[in-house]
Amino acid sequence: DAGITQSPRYKITETGRQVTLMCHQTWSHSYMFWYRQDLGHGLRLIYYSAAADITDKGEVPDGYVVSRSKTENFPLTLESATRSQTSVYFCASSDSPLSGYGYTFGSGTRLTVV
Amino acid sequence: DQQVKQNSPSLSVQEGRISILNCDYTNSMFDYFLWYKKYPAEGPTFLISISSIKDKNEDGRFTVFLNKSAKHLSLHIVPSQPGDSAVYFCAAMYSGGGADGLTFGKGTHLIIQP
């Protein structure tokens, strides 16, 4: 299917475990982003990527790792999950993020760390 | 320091009336402003945007107004419909900055009452 898909939709993990959230887009957009949404904070940027093998930190990168070996995939890894990383995670993509046309978001992954 | 502020966490409006969602920003470098709409269990979807060279942009029932001197923008929905019930995020960016430049507000939950 065309679009941007995230998996899994829901995930429960234990503190200290490593967990990877997947993001796949079919448009060949150059830019991809990871955001987390928390009550009282809105959407905050974790990491972004301008192209394959190019990644940069956003506002809240600590505790997260990303990679982008292929244009269409942008996985987000929590190396050692903490309760503070319980959140809803959104992946987004864009062909021209500075054009004012916005990003396209996936449906999100709700992650609970117990 | 919150650069994009949505001071109303929620707003209740009767069906058929006008909904007005407000957003304030502090960074005078911002030159594009966007509104996203988000339903529960879905990702945000781009709704409408405005460039700083304009003071108004319309798209059907949705109009965004920009007051640069007051660093204020608003989204008007006329007439409001039940399907408009959602969380609305205001976002701002500086087109001359980096790709990480899209800054979101905390969102306003709009509830359309029948």
Side-chain angles (χ1 to χ4, degrees), chain A residues 7-74:
Chain A
S7 60
R9 286 299 308 271
Y10 303 92
K11 176 74 177 178
I12 300 174
T13 192
E14 294 178 339
T15 302
R17 297 263 191 171
Q18 182 181 82
V19 60
T20 296
L21 311 183
M22 304 301 293
C23 179
H24 175 79
Q25 53 109 350
T26 59
W27 294 300
S28 298
H29 283 168
S30 299
Y31 291 84
M32 296 187 74
F33 307 83
W34 275 106
Y35 285 85
R36 59 179 288 175
Q37 184 196 5
D38 304 287
L39 271 176
H41 289 280
L43 291 159
R44 293 182 293 174
L45 182 65
I46 304 170
Y47 269 95
Y48 69 103
S49 168
D53 298 321
I54 300 174
T55 61
D56 277 295
K57 295 179 181 179
E59 181 185 356
V60 289
D62 293 343
Y64 303 95
V65 174
V66 294
S67 62
R68 191 148 177 227
S69 57
K70 293 183 178 181
T71 300
E72 61 266 30
N73 296 324
F74 191 36

Side-chain angles (χ1 to χ4, degrees), chain B residues 41 47 53 59 67 72 77 102:
Chain B
L47 187 58
I53 63 172
D59 184 3
N67 182 334
H72 176 83
I77 306 173
L102 193 59

